[in-house]
Amino acid sequence: MDEKKVEQILQNPKFKEMVAKKSRLSWTLTIIMLVVYVGFMLLVGYNKEFLMSSFSGGVTTWGIPLGLSIIVLSFLLCGVYSYIANNTLDPLTQDAMKEVEAIANQKELN
């Protein structure tokens, strides 16, 4: 594929929209996960007493439900990504790919 076709694809509005939406979604979910995980690590590093304190007056500490909630959150974020990707991004990707294929299959006007 020559540079002219590549540039046409990169400047295509549907292709740009698809890339922007996928990027925005992935960065948003990544930031959410990083903030939660780094927050938990900071809590481990700077407030161990809270994590070691009893959750229910028994042997269960706050660290256990908080650690499990991070794992559950990661599964939930995967589900959110899958739902949005299947219902919003896939149709957009199909439209963009049709236009990309049309550009790629164009004959040179020489």
Side-chain angles (χ1 to χ4, degrees):
M1 190 178 304
D2 64 0
E3 292 293 322
K4 183 179 176 184
K5 287 183 181 180
V6 171
E7 190 60 35
Q8 283 180 320
I9 291 169
L10 292 176
Q11 296 305 320
N12 183 286
K14 286 190 178 182
F15 183 77
K16 281 183 170 182
E17 180 185 4
M18 176 199 64
V19 170
K21 284 189 176 185
K22 282 185 176 186
S23 179
R24 192 176 326 119
L25 176 63
S26 62
W27 278 112
T28 300
L29 296 178
T30 299
I31 289 169
I32 290 170
M33 196 66 226
L34 282 173
V35 166
V36 169
Y37 186 74
V38 170
F40 184 72
M41 290 297 106
L42 290 172
L43 195 59
V44 167
Y46 292 106
N47 198 356
K48 290 179 189 173
E49 295 78 25
F50 170 72
L51 291 175
M52 291 187 300
S53 65
S54 177
F55 173 68
S56 60
V59 296
T60 306
T61 64
W62 277 102
I64 294 170
L66 287 176
L68 289 175
S69 66
I70 290 173
I71 295 168
V72 170
L73 177 66
S74 68
F75 282 102
L76 288 174
L77 290 180
C78 286
V80 166
Y81 180 83
S82 295
Y83 179 80
I84 294 172
N86 290 336
N87 295 315
T88 304
L89 298 178
D90 281 352
L92 186 61
T93 300
Q94 289 172 352
D95 291 343
M97 287 307 296
K98 285 178 188 174
E99 292 195 16
V100 166
E101 287 173 3
I103 291 170
N105 294 328
Q106 280 178 352
K107 302 245 186 227
E108 294 279 337
L109 297 176
N110 287 337

